[in-house]
Amino acid sequence: MLTKEMQEEILRLKKENDICILVHAYQSHDIWEIADYMGDSYGLSLKAAKAPQKTILMCGVRFMAETVKILSPDKKVLLANPLAGCAMADQLDVARLTELKKQYPGHTVVAYINTTSELKTICDVCVTSSSAPKIIKNIKERDILFVPDCNLGAWIAKQVPEKNIQLIDGGCPVHANVTIDAVRQARKRHPDALLLVHPESLPEVTENADYAGSTTGIMDFAKKSDAKEFIIGTENSIVQHLQFECPEKAFYPLSKDCVCNDMRLTTLADVYGCVKGIAGEEITLADDVMEKARRCIDTMITLVQ
Ligand code: 13P
Ligand code: SF4
């Protein structure tokens, strides 16, 4: 079967079976093309809450599908490839966070959305990279325990100096792979290019960038900018997507090592299997987990207004 034929079949079957396909920006271009919505973690959670279809198929990683289920508990939610996890989300469990909370009494616990639903049950507020500075500004309390990404946390802390933000050891191993040396080399190779990075990058990388923001933030910046060349410091799929969107501009990866194997797992064939009803994993979460985790996701949506 040709890619185009498979895409046409997916479009036909998703309509026939009342399925909404949500696609994270790091997915491959052939999957982008069959999406009802493609975006960053914040955009995906808003769409998940509003999708009218009976079934939602998430092409991304597990915590994203869990967020969809929490926001739409009565819907059938599928994760396109059951093996697609997030190395950062798996770093912090309930037992360790319970200990940390004892260490930092009175702190408001803010969790990056890249966490498990169990962890969210004992957090106060959730944030995504695009919503974090605004949400943290809007939290009344001054003392904050931010988990688990210390790189994203350091980037937020700089923008909200009035808060006392406690960070822990943790973060995205994919973005942490990219060193300041990679920045120097890329700047040397492309002296006229702007450097756009994700705030999950190491602080010394983010500090040397021309722009830091979420996946959609990076793409919007590149599209609107008058510059002609860009070095992209996030998962390398974004380099390809931008090259498709803006063929008159040039995009270069900051590092060949910025590759998330989990995000790369899902294929168009997985999506085809899901809309046919023979692939994917249906997400099921205990009612009390959904109820408690939902509080911190709802608070995120309220505080961003
Ligand atoms: P975004 O919210 O920017 O899409 O980030 C998700 C992610 O997993 C980045 O590594
Ligand atoms: Fe998780 Fe990092 Fe992959 Fe994003 S890039 S899904 S944070 S491991």
mmCIF file of all heavy atoms in Angstrom, residues 24 26 61 63-64 85-89 112 114 172-175 200 235 260-263, ligand 2:
data_model
loop_
_atom_site.group_PDB
_atom_site.id
_atom_site.type_symbol
_atom_site.label_atom_id
_atom_site.label_comp_id
_atom_site.label_asym_id
_atom_site.label_seq_id
_atom_site.Cartn_x
_atom_site.Cartn_y
_atom_site.Cartn_z
ATOM 1 N N HIS A 24 0.988 14.898 18.373
ATOM 2 C CA HIS A 24 1.993 15.814 18.917
ATOM 3 C C HIS A 24 2.953 16.232 17.800
ATOM 4 O O HIS A 24 3.209 15.474 16.861
ATOM 5 C CB HIS A 24 2.769 15.166 20.081
ATOM 6 C CG HIS A 24 3.728 16.134 20.704
ATOM 7 N ND1 HIS A 24 5.069 16.163 20.372
ATOM 8 C CD2 HIS A 24 3.522 17.166 21.571
ATOM 9 C CE1 HIS A 24 5.643 17.167 21.049
ATOM 10 N NE2 HIS A 24 4.725 17.776 21.780
ATOM 11 N N TYR A 26 6.038 16.316 17.495
ATOM 12 C CA TYR A 26 7.225 15.492 17.214
ATOM 13 C C TYR A 26 6.918 14.270 16.335
ATOM 14 O O TYR A 26 7.822 13.500 16.011
ATOM 15 C CB TYR A 26 7.833 14.955 18.515
ATOM 16 C CG TYR A 26 8.537 15.953 19.403
ATOM 17 C CD1 TYR A 26 8.721 15.675 20.755
ATOM 18 C CD2 TYR A 26 9.051 17.150 18.915
ATOM 19 C CE1 TYR A 26 9.375 16.554 21.600
ATOM 20 C CE2 TYR A 26 9.709 18.039 19.766
ATOM 21 C CZ TYR A 26 9.864 17.729 21.100
ATOM 22 O OH TYR A 26 10.517 18.599 21.943
ATOM 23 N N VAL A 61 3.041 10.331 23.239
ATOM 24 C CA VAL A 61 3.519 9.405 24.272
ATOM 25 C C VAL A 61 2.459 9.236 25.371
ATOM 26 O O VAL A 61 1.474 9.965 25.409
ATOM 27 C CB VAL A 61 4.890 9.849 24.846
ATOM 28 C CG1 VAL A 61 5.979 9.750 23.784
ATOM 29 C CG2 VAL A 61 4.823 11.258 25.415
ATOM 30 N N PHE A 63 1.941 9.810 28.614
ATOM 31 C CA PHE A 63 1.356 10.811 29.528
ATOM 32 C C PHE A 63 0.352 11.687 28.768
ATOM 33 O O PHE A 63 -0.591 12.210 29.361
ATOM 34 C CB PHE A 63 2.442 11.646 30.241
ATOM 35 C CG PHE A 63 3.074 12.728 29.402
ATOM 36 C CD1 PHE A 63 2.449 13.957 29.226
ATOM 37 C CD2 PHE A 63 4.314 12.530 28.795
ATOM 38 C CE1 PHE A 63 3.029 14.956 28.457
ATOM 39 C CE2 PHE A 63 4.895 13.528 28.024
ATOM 40 C CZ PHE A 63 4.247 14.745 27.852
ATOM 41 N N MET A 64 0.551 11.855 27.469
ATOM 42 C CA MET A 64 -0.376 12.675 26.672
ATOM 43 C C MET A 64 -1.728 11.966 26.545
ATOM 44 O O MET A 64 -2.784 12.589 26.664
ATOM 45 C CB MET A 64 0.209 12.958 25.287
ATOM 46 C CG MET A 64 1.460 13.802 25.353
ATOM 47 S SD MET A 64 2.238 14.044 23.754
ATOM 48 C CE MET A 64 3.555 15.169 24.233
ATOM 49 N N GLY A 85 6.574 5.753 25.674
ATOM 50 C CA GLY A 85 6.545 6.391 26.997
ATOM 51 C C GLY A 85 7.320 7.692 26.951
ATOM 52 O O GLY A 85 7.653 8.189 25.876
ATOM 53 N N CYS A 86 7.594 8.250 28.117
ATOM 54 C CA CYS A 86 8.426 9.459 28.171
ATOM 55 C C CYS A 86 9.422 9.237 29.300
ATOM 56 O O CYS A 86 9.026 9.051 30.457
ATOM 57 C CB CYS A 86 7.576 10.694 28.441
ATOM 58 S SG CYS A 86 8.533 12.145 28.958
ATOM 59 N N ALA A 87 10.714 9.260 28.965
ATOM 60 C CA ALA A 87 11.757 8.969 29.952
ATOM 61 C C ALA A 87 11.690 9.946 31.129
ATOM 62 O O ALA A 87 11.987 9.576 32.265
ATOM 63 C CB ALA A 87 13.121 9.037 29.278
ATOM 64 N N MET A 88 11.273 11.180 30.849
ATOM 65 C CA MET A 88 11.185 12.146 31.965
ATOM 66 C C MET A 88 10.002 11.804 32.880
ATOM 67 O O MET A 88 10.131 11.853 34.106
ATOM 68 C CB MET A 88 11.031 13.563 31.418
ATOM 69 C CG MET A 88 10.586 14.530 32.472
ATOM 70 S SD MET A 88 11.122 16.200 32.296
ATOM 71 C CE MET A 88 10.800 16.606 30.632
ATOM 72 N N ALA A 89 8.866 11.448 32.283
ATOM 73 C CA ALA A 89 7.675 11.148 33.090
ATOM 74 C C ALA A 89 7.944 9.964 34.032
ATOM 75 O O ALA A 89 7.377 9.886 35.125
ATOM 76 C CB ALA A 89 6.486 10.858 32.184
ATOM 77 N N TYR A 112 5.291 19.496 35.885
ATOM 78 C CA TYR A 112 5.300 19.555 34.421
ATOM 79 C C TYR A 112 4.303 18.497 33.956
ATOM 80 O O TYR A 112 4.170 17.432 34.590
ATOM 81 C CB TYR A 112 6.721 19.217 33.947
ATOM 82 C CG TYR A 112 7.026 19.502 32.495
ATOM 83 C CD1 TYR A 112 6.258 20.367 31.720
ATOM 84 C CD2 TYR A 112 8.133 18.900 31.891
ATOM 85 C CE1 TYR A 112 6.576 20.622 30.397
ATOM 86 C CE2 TYR A 112 8.464 19.154 30.564
ATOM 87 C CZ TYR A 112 7.665 20.008 29.816
ATOM 88 O OH TYR A 112 7.983 20.251 28.505
ATOM 89 N N ASN A 114 4.545 16.479 31.739
ATOM 90 C CA ASN A 114 5.276 15.233 31.411
ATOM 91 C C ASN A 114 5.513 14.417 32.679
ATOM 92 O O ASN A 114 6.643 14.195 33.107
ATOM 93 C CB ASN A 114 6.642 15.564 30.788
ATOM 94 C CG ASN A 114 6.546 16.339 29.490
ATOM 95 O OD1 ASN A 114 5.642 17.149 29.324
ATOM 96 N ND2 ASN A 114 7.449 16.086 28.572
ATOM 97 N N CYS A 172 14.640 16.018 30.794
ATOM 98 C CA CYS A 172 14.531 15.216 29.571
ATOM 99 C C CYS A 172 15.920 14.785 29.106
ATOM 100 O O CYS A 172 16.745 15.631 28.744
ATOM 101 C CB CYS A 172 13.848 16.050 28.486
ATOM 102 S SG CYS A 172 13.998 15.270 26.871
ATOM 103 N N PRO A 173 16.173 13.462 29.076
ATOM 104 C CA PRO A 173 17.504 13.019 28.667
ATOM 105 C C PRO A 173 17.819 13.338 27.201
ATOM 106 O O PRO A 173 18.981 13.452 26.840
ATOM 107 C CB PRO A 173 17.472 11.495 28.906
ATOM 108 C CG PRO A 173 16.036 11.134 29.063
ATOM 109 C CD PRO A 173 15.287 12.366 29.466
ATOM 110 N N VAL A 174 16.780 13.511 26.403
ATOM 111 C CA VAL A 174 16.997 13.801 24.971
ATOM 112 C C VAL A 174 17.531 15.235 24.813
ATOM 113 O O VAL A 174 18.564 15.462 24.163
ATOM 114 C CB VAL A 174 15.676 13.629 24.180
ATOM 115 C CG1 VAL A 174 15.851 14.058 22.744
ATOM 116 C CG2 VAL A 174 15.171 12.190 24.287
ATOM 117 N N HIS A 175 16.868 16.188 25.450
ATOM 118 C CA HIS A 175 17.329 17.580 25.349
ATOM 119 C C HIS A 175 18.630 17.791 26.132
ATOM 120 O O HIS A 175 19.461 18.623 25.740
ATOM 121 C CB HIS A 175 16.240 18.539 25.837
ATOM 122 C CG HIS A 175 15.100 18.676 24.860
ATOM 123 N ND1 HIS A 175 14.080 17.758 24.783
ATOM 124 C CD2 HIS A 175 14.856 19.595 23.891
ATOM 125 C CE1 HIS A 175 13.247 18.123 23.810
ATOM 126 N NE2 HIS A 175 13.696 19.229 23.268
ATOM 127 N N GLU A 200 13.446 22.689 27.721
ATOM 128 C CA GLU A 200 13.945 21.478 28.400
ATOM 129 C C GLU A 200 15.461 21.354 28.213
ATOM 130 O O GLU A 200 16.095 20.468 28.795
ATOM 131 C CB GLU A 200 13.271 20.222 27.827
ATOM 132 C CG GLU A 200 11.830 20.062 28.267
ATOM 133 C CD GLU A 200 11.119 18.923 27.565
ATOM 134 O OE1 GLU A 200 11.777 18.082 26.939
ATOM 135 O OE2 GLU A 200 9.872 18.884 27.633
ATOM 136 N N GLU A 235 13.674 18.228 19.468
ATOM 137 C CA GLU A 235 13.624 16.945 18.751
ATOM 138 C C GLU A 235 13.732 17.221 17.245
ATOM 139 O O GLU A 235 13.042 18.098 16.712
ATOM 140 C CB GLU A 235 12.313 16.233 19.087
ATOM 141 C CG GLU A 235 12.427 14.730 19.194
ATOM 142 C CD GLU A 235 12.579 13.982 17.878
ATOM 143 O OE1 GLU A 235 12.148 14.527 16.854
ATOM 144 O OE2 GLU A 235 13.129 12.856 17.870
ATOM 145 N N CYS A 260 14.150 11.680 20.078
ATOM 146 C CA CYS A 260 13.378 10.973 21.109
ATOM 147 C C CYS A 260 12.839 9.675 20.506
ATOM 148 O O CYS A 260 11.917 9.696 19.688
ATOM 149 C CB CYS A 260 12.231 11.850 21.605
ATOM 150 S SG CYS A 260 11.201 10.986 22.810
ATOM 151 N N ASN A 261 13.434 8.569 20.940
ATOM 152 C CA ASN A 261 13.031 7.264 20.376
ATOM 153 C C ASN A 261 11.571 6.951 20.664
ATOM 154 O O ASN A 261 10.906 6.299 19.865
ATOM 155 C CB ASN A 261 13.923 6.147 20.932
ATOM 156 C CG ASN A 261 15.327 6.264 20.398
ATOM 157 O OD1 ASN A 261 15.523 6.662 19.245
ATOM 158 N ND2 ASN A 261 16.316 5.955 21.218
ATOM 159 N N ASP A 262 11.076 7.423 21.799
ATOM 160 C CA ASP A 262 9.668 7.155 22.130
ATOM 161 C C ASP A 262 8.731 7.877 21.159
ATOM 162 O O ASP A 262 7.755 7.306 20.687
ATOM 163 C CB ASP A 262 9.384 7.594 23.567
ATOM 164 C CG ASP A 262 9.959 6.617 24.559
ATOM 165 O OD1 ASP A 262 9.296 5.602 24.826
ATOM 166 O OD2 ASP A 262 11.089 6.823 25.032
ATOM 167 N N MET A 263 9.052 9.116 20.868
ATOM 168 C CA MET A 263 8.215 9.887 19.943
ATOM 169 C C MET A 263 8.296 9.312 18.524
ATOM 170 O O MET A 263 7.379 9.460 17.744
ATOM 171 C CB MET A 263 8.647 11.351 19.936
ATOM 172 C CG MET A 263 8.103 12.121 21.106
ATOM 173 S SD MET A 263 6.322 12.398 20.885
ATOM 174 C CE MET A 263 5.964 13.398 22.319
HETATM 175 FE FE1 SF4 B 2 9.779 12.896 27.087
HETATM 176 FE FE2 SF4 B 2 11.998 14.185 26.326
HETATM 177 FE FE3 SF4 B 2 10.790 12.515 24.626
HETATM 178 FE FE4 SF4 B 2 9.650 14.876 25.265
HETATM 179 S S1 SF4 B 2 11.570 14.545 24.158
HETATM 180 S S2 SF4 B 2 8.644 12.873 25.168
HETATM 181 S S3 SF4 B 2 10.260 15.048 27.423
HETATM 182 S S4 SF4 B 2 11.764 11.959 26.598
#
